[in-house]
Amino acid sequence: QVQLVQSGAEVKKPGASVKVSCKTSGYNFPGYYIHWVRQAPGQGLEWMGWINPNRGDTKYAQKFQGRVTMTTETSISTATLGLSRLSSDDTAVYYCARRAGTANLDYWGQGTRVTVSA
Amino acid sequence: DIQMTQSPSSLSASVGDRVTITCRASQSIRTYLNWYQQKPGKAPDLLIYGASSLQSGVPSRFSGSGSGTDFTLTIDSLQREDFATYYCLQSNSSPWTFGQGTKVEIK
């Protein structure tokens, strides 16, 4: 069965960087884009961008340009989100999700809580 | 960027009620509209994709309609397990954008 399993919670200081991994299984990893979505405490869902594991091309939301990096390692079917220059506004649960052929996000990771605090 | 305006932001309903949630796009998104259900502490679950297609395994009391800019999620005969927050997501063009969410609470 399709699974996306994310790395554990992180606590970071302002100005630091964080990496969140998303290990997938149960499907052909290169065949499906991975999207990243975050959710601040008590808030709605915010789309961050996507990566195409087959070619490595990416699309980032303008808000995160210059601070975000999405990568994949096909040999271990894993996607990674990097976010730098963290501030308290980046405190959120970060989700990876698989894009289905029908232009939706059909399978999601369990979420990774990132807390940014001095 | 396409703005998604979802309404209402919250509603109270009873078990057995029919519930309707709407999403309006700031420009046409054809039928690239998806609906998600999210329960506290959990990742969102896909309910409806392509505006009206029911995701496998989702109960038939959920339905979606619309095209262009106006979309509706309907829950017929609300069940206790349906109390949750619902989001629409447009996937017509990047950046993909979510509605603000609708919290469905027990009356």
Coordinates of all heavy atoms in Angstrom, one line a residue, chain B residues 20-67:
Chain B
T20 N -24.1 22.0 3.3 CA -23.5 22.5 2.1 C -22.4 23.5 2.3 O -22.6 24.4 3.1 CB -24.6 23.1 1.2 OG1 -25.6 22.1 0.9 CG2 -24.0 23.6 -0.1
I21 N -21.3 23.3 1.7 CA -20.1 24.2 1.8 C -19.8 24.7 0.4 O -19.8 23.9 -0.5 CB -18.9 23.5 2.5 CG1 -19.3 23.0 3.9 CG2 -17.7 24.4 2.5 CD1 -18.3 22.0 4.5
T22 N -19.4 25.9 0.3 CA -19.1 26.4 -1.0 C -17.7 27.0 -1.1 O -17.1 27.5 -0.1 CB -20.1 27.5 -1.4 OG1 -20.0 28.7 -0.6 CG2 -21.6 27.0 -1.4
C23 N -17.2 27.0 -2.3 CA -15.9 27.6 -2.6 C -16.0 28.3 -3.9 O -16.6 27.8 -4.9 CB -14.8 26.5 -2.8 SG -13.5 26.5 -1.5
R24 N -15.5 29.5 -3.9 CA -15.5 30.4 -5.1 C -14.1 30.7 -5.4 O -13.3 31.2 -4.6 CB -16.4 31.6 -4.8 CG -16.3 32.6 -6.0 CD -17.4 33.6 -5.9 NE -18.7 33.0 -6.2 CZ -19.9 33.7 -6.1 NH1 -19.9 34.9 -5.6 NH2 -21.0 33.1 -6.4
A25 N -13.8 30.5 -6.7 CA -12.4 30.9 -7.2 C -12.4 32.3 -7.8 O -13.4 32.7 -8.4 CB -12.0 29.9 -8.2
S26 N -11.3 33.0 -7.7 CA -11.2 34.3 -8.2 C -11.1 34.4 -9.8 O -11.3 35.4 -10.4 CB -10.0 35.0 -7.6 OG -8.8 34.3 -8.0
Q27 N -10.9 33.2 -10.4 CA -11.0 33.1 -11.8 C -11.3 31.6 -12.1 O -11.2 30.8 -11.2 CB -9.7 33.5 -12.5 CG -8.4 32.7 -12.1 CD -7.2 33.3 -12.6 OE1 -6.7 34.3 -12.1 NE2 -6.6 32.8 -13.7
S28 N -11.6 31.4 -13.4 CA -12.0 30.0 -13.7 C -10.9 29.0 -13.4 O -9.7 29.2 -13.8 CB -12.4 29.9 -15.2 OG -12.7 28.6 -15.5
I29 N -11.3 27.9 -12.8 CA -10.3 26.8 -12.6 C -10.9 25.5 -13.2 O -10.5 24.4 -12.8 CB -10.1 26.6 -11.0 CG1 -11.4 26.3 -10.3 CG2 -9.3 27.7 -10.5 CD1 -11.2 25.9 -8.8
R30 N -11.8 25.7 -14.2 CA -12.4 24.6 -14.9 C -13.0 23.6 -13.8 O -13.9 24.0 -13.0 CB -11.4 23.9 -15.8 CG -10.9 24.9 -16.9 CD -9.8 24.3 -17.7 NE -8.5 24.3 -17.1 CZ -7.4 23.7 -17.6 NH1 -7.5 23.1 -18.8 NH2 -6.3 23.8 -16.9
T31 N -12.5 22.4 -13.8 CA -13.0 21.5 -12.7 C -11.9 21.0 -11.8 O -11.9 19.9 -11.2 CB -13.8 20.3 -13.3 OG1 -12.9 19.6 -14.2 CG2 -15.1 20.7 -14.0
Y32 N -10.8 21.8 -11.8 CA -9.7 21.4 -10.9 C -9.8 21.8 -9.5 O -9.1 22.7 -9.0 CB -8.4 22.0 -11.5 CG -8.0 21.3 -12.8 CD1 -8.4 21.8 -14.0 CD2 -7.2 20.2 -12.8 CE1 -8.0 21.2 -15.2 CE2 -6.8 19.5 -14.0 CZ -7.2 20.0 -15.2 OH -6.9 19.4 -16.3
L33 N -10.9 21.2 -8.9 CA -11.2 21.6 -7.5 C -11.3 20.3 -6.7 O -12.0 19.3 -7.2 CB -12.5 22.4 -7.5 CG -13.0 23.1 -6.2 CD1 -13.6 22.1 -5.2 CD2 -11.9 23.9 -5.6
N34 N -10.7 20.3 -5.6 CA -10.7 19.1 -4.7 C -11.2 19.5 -3.3 O -11.0 20.6 -2.9 CB -9.2 18.6 -4.6 CG -8.6 18.4 -6.0 OD1 -9.0 17.6 -6.8 ND2 -7.7 19.3 -6.3
W35 N -11.8 18.5 -2.7 CA -12.3 18.7 -1.3 C -11.6 17.8 -0.3 O -11.4 16.6 -0.6 CB -13.8 18.5 -1.2 CG -14.6 19.6 -1.9 CD1 -15.1 19.5 -3.2 CD2 -15.0 20.8 -1.4 NE1 -15.8 20.7 -3.4 CE2 -15.7 21.5 -2.3 CE3 -14.7 21.5 -0.2 CZ2 -16.3 22.8 -2.2 CZ3 -15.2 22.8 0.0 CH2 -16.0 23.4 -1.0
Y36 N -11.2 18.3 0.8 CA -10.5 17.5 1.8 C -11.2 17.6 3.2 O -11.8 18.7 3.5 CB -9.1 18.0 2.0 CG -8.2 17.7 0.8 CD1 -8.2 18.5 -0.3 CD2 -7.5 16.5 0.8 CE1 -7.4 18.2 -1.4 CE2 -6.7 16.2 -0.3 CZ -6.7 17.0 -1.4 OH -5.9 16.7 -2.5
Q37 N -11.1 16.6 4.0 CA -11.6 16.5 5.3 C -10.4 16.4 6.2 O -9.5 15.6 6.0 CB -12.6 15.4 5.6 CG -13.1 15.2 7.0 CD -13.7 13.8 7.2 OE1 -13.0 12.8 7.2 NE2 -15.0 13.8 7.3
Q38 N -10.4 17.2 7.3 CA -9.3 17.1 8.2 C -9.8 17.1 9.7 O -10.6 17.9 10.1 CB -8.3 18.3 8.1 CG -7.0 18.1 9.0 CD -6.1 19.2 8.9 OE1 -6.4 20.4 8.7 NE2 -4.8 18.9 9.0
K39 N -9.3 16.1 10.4 CA -9.7 15.9 11.8 C -8.5 16.4 12.6 O -7.3 16.3 12.1 CB -10.1 14.5 12.1 CG -11.4 14.1 11.4 CD -11.9 12.8 11.7 CE -13.2 12.5 11.0 NZ -13.7 11.2 11.2
P40 N -8.7 16.8 13.9 CA -7.6 17.3 14.7 C -6.4 16.4 14.8 O -6.6 15.2 15.1 CB -8.3 17.6 16.0 CG -9.7 17.8 15.7 CD -10.0 16.9 14.5
G41 N -5.2 16.9 14.6 CA -4.0 16.2 14.7 C -3.7 15.2 13.6 O -2.8 14.4 13.6
K42 N -4.6 15.2 12.5 CA -4.4 14.3 11.4 C -4.1 15.0 10.1 O -4.5 16.2 10.0 CB -5.7 13.4 11.2 CG -6.0 12.6 12.5 CD -5.0 11.5 12.7 CE -5.4 10.6 13.8 NZ -4.3 9.6 14.1
A43 N -3.6 14.3 9.1 CA -3.4 14.9 7.8 C -4.8 14.9 7.1 O -5.7 14.2 7.4 CB -2.5 14.0 7.0
P44 N -4.9 15.8 6.1 CA -6.2 15.9 5.4 C -6.4 14.6 4.6 O -5.5 13.9 4.2 CB -5.9 17.0 4.4 CG -4.9 17.9 5.1 CD -4.0 16.9 5.8
D45 N -7.7 14.3 4.4 CA -8.1 13.1 3.6 C -8.8 13.6 2.4 O -9.7 14.5 2.5 CB -9.0 12.2 4.4 CG -8.3 11.4 5.4 OD1 -7.2 11.0 5.2 OD2 -8.9 11.2 6.5
L46 N -8.5 13.1 1.2 CA -9.2 13.5 0.0 C -10.6 12.9 -0.1 O -10.8 11.7 0.1 CB -8.3 13.0 -1.2 CG -8.9 13.3 -2.6 CD1 -9.0 14.8 -2.9 CD2 -8.1 12.6 -3.7
L47 N -11.6 13.8 -0.3 CA -12.9 13.3 -0.4 C -13.4 13.3 -1.9 O -14.0 12.3 -2.4 CB -13.9 14.3 0.3 CG -13.7 14.4 1.8 CD1 -14.6 15.5 2.3 CD2 -14.0 13.1 2.5
I48 N -13.2 14.5 -2.6 CA -13.7 14.7 -3.9 C -12.6 15.3 -4.7 O -11.8 16.2 -4.3 CB -14.9 15.7 -3.9 CG1 -16.0 15.3 -3.0 CG2 -15.3 16.1 -5.3 CD1 -16.8 14.1 -3.6
Y49 N -12.4 14.8 -6.0 CA -11.4 15.4 -6.9 C -12.1 15.7 -8.2 O -13.2 15.2 -8.5 CB -10.2 14.5 -7.1 CG -10.5 13.2 -7.7 CD1 -10.5 13.0 -9.1 CD2 -10.9 12.1 -7.0 CE1 -10.8 11.8 -9.7 CE2 -11.2 10.9 -7.5 CZ -11.1 10.7 -8.9 OH -11.5 9.5 -9.5
G50 N -11.5 16.6 -9.0 CA -12.1 17.0 -10.2 C -13.5 17.5 -10.1 O -14.4 17.3 -10.9
A51 N -13.7 18.2 -9.0 CA -15.0 18.9 -8.6 C -16.1 17.9 -8.2 O -16.9 18.3 -7.3 CB -15.5 19.8 -9.7
S52 N -16.2 16.7 -8.8 CA -17.4 15.9 -8.6 C -17.1 14.4 -8.5 O -18.0 13.6 -8.3 CB -18.4 16.1 -9.7 OG -17.9 15.8 -10.9
S53 N -15.8 14.0 -8.6 CA -15.5 12.6 -8.5 C -15.2 12.2 -7.1 O -14.4 12.8 -6.4 CB -14.3 12.3 -9.4 OG -14.6 12.5 -10.8
L54 N -15.9 11.1 -6.7 CA -15.7 10.6 -5.3 C -14.5 9.8 -5.2 O -14.3 8.8 -5.9 CB -17.0 9.8 -4.9 CG -17.2 9.4 -3.5 CD1 -17.4 10.7 -2.6 CD2 -18.3 8.4 -3.3
Q55 N -13.6 10.1 -4.2 CA -12.4 9.3 -4.0 C -12.8 7.9 -3.5 O -13.8 7.8 -2.8 CB -11.5 10.0 -3.0 CG -10.3 9.2 -2.6 CD -9.2 9.1 -3.7 OE1 -9.4 9.3 -4.8 NE2 -8.0 8.6 -3.3
S56 N -12.0 6.9 -4.0 CA -12.3 5.6 -3.6 C -12.3 5.4 -2.0 O -11.5 6.0 -1.3 CB -11.2 4.7 -4.1 OG -11.3 3.3 -3.7
G57 N -13.4 4.8 -1.6 CA -13.5 4.5 -0.1 C -14.2 5.6 0.6 O -14.5 5.4 1.8
V58 N -14.6 6.7 0.0 CA -15.3 7.8 0.6 C -16.8 7.5 0.5 O -17.3 7.1 -0.5 CB -15.0 9.1 0.0 CG1 -15.9 10.2 0.5 CG2 -13.5 9.4 0.2
P59 N -17.5 7.6 1.6 CA -19.0 7.3 1.6 C -19.7 8.2 0.6 O -19.4 9.3 0.4 CB -19.4 7.7 3.0 CG -18.2 7.6 3.9 CD -17.1 8.0 3.0
S60 N -20.8 7.6 0.0 CA -21.5 8.2 -1.0 C -22.4 9.4 -0.5 O -23.0 10.1 -1.3 CB -22.4 7.2 -1.7 OG -23.3 6.6 -0.8
R61 N -22.5 9.6 0.8 CA -23.2 10.8 1.3 C -22.4 12.1 0.9 O -23.0 13.2 1.1 CB -23.5 10.7 2.8 CG -22.2 10.7 3.7 CD -22.6 10.6 5.1 NE -21.5 10.5 6.0 CZ -20.9 9.3 6.3 NH1 -21.3 8.2 5.8 NH2 -19.8 9.3 7.1
F62 N -21.2 12.0 0.6 CA -20.4 13.1 0.1 C -20.5 13.3 -1.4 O -20.4 12.3 -2.1 CB -18.9 13.0 0.5 CG -18.6 13.0 1.9 CD1 -18.6 11.8 2.7 CD2 -18.3 14.2 2.6 CE1 -18.3 11.8 4.1 CE2 -18.1 14.2 4.0 CZ -18.0 13.1 4.7
S63 N -20.8 14.5 -1.8 CA -20.8 14.8 -3.2 C -20.3 16.2 -3.5 O -20.3 17.1 -2.6 CB -22.2 14.6 -3.8 OG -23.1 15.6 -3.2
G64 N -19.8 16.4 -4.7 CA -19.3 17.7 -5.1 C -19.9 18.1 -6.5 O -20.2 17.2 -7.3
S65 N -20.0 19.4 -6.7 CA -20.5 19.9 -7.9 C -19.9 21.2 -8.3 O -19.2 21.9 -7.4 CB -22.0 20.0 -7.9 OG -22.4 21.0 -7.0
G66 N -20.0 21.6 -9.5 CA -19.6 23.0 -9.9 C -18.5 22.9 -11.0 O -17.9 21.8 -11.3
S67 N -18.3 24.0 -11.6 CA -17.2 24.2 -12.6 C -17.0 25.7 -12.8 O -17.8 26.5 -12.4 CB -17.6 23.5 -13.9 OG -18.7 24.2 -14.5

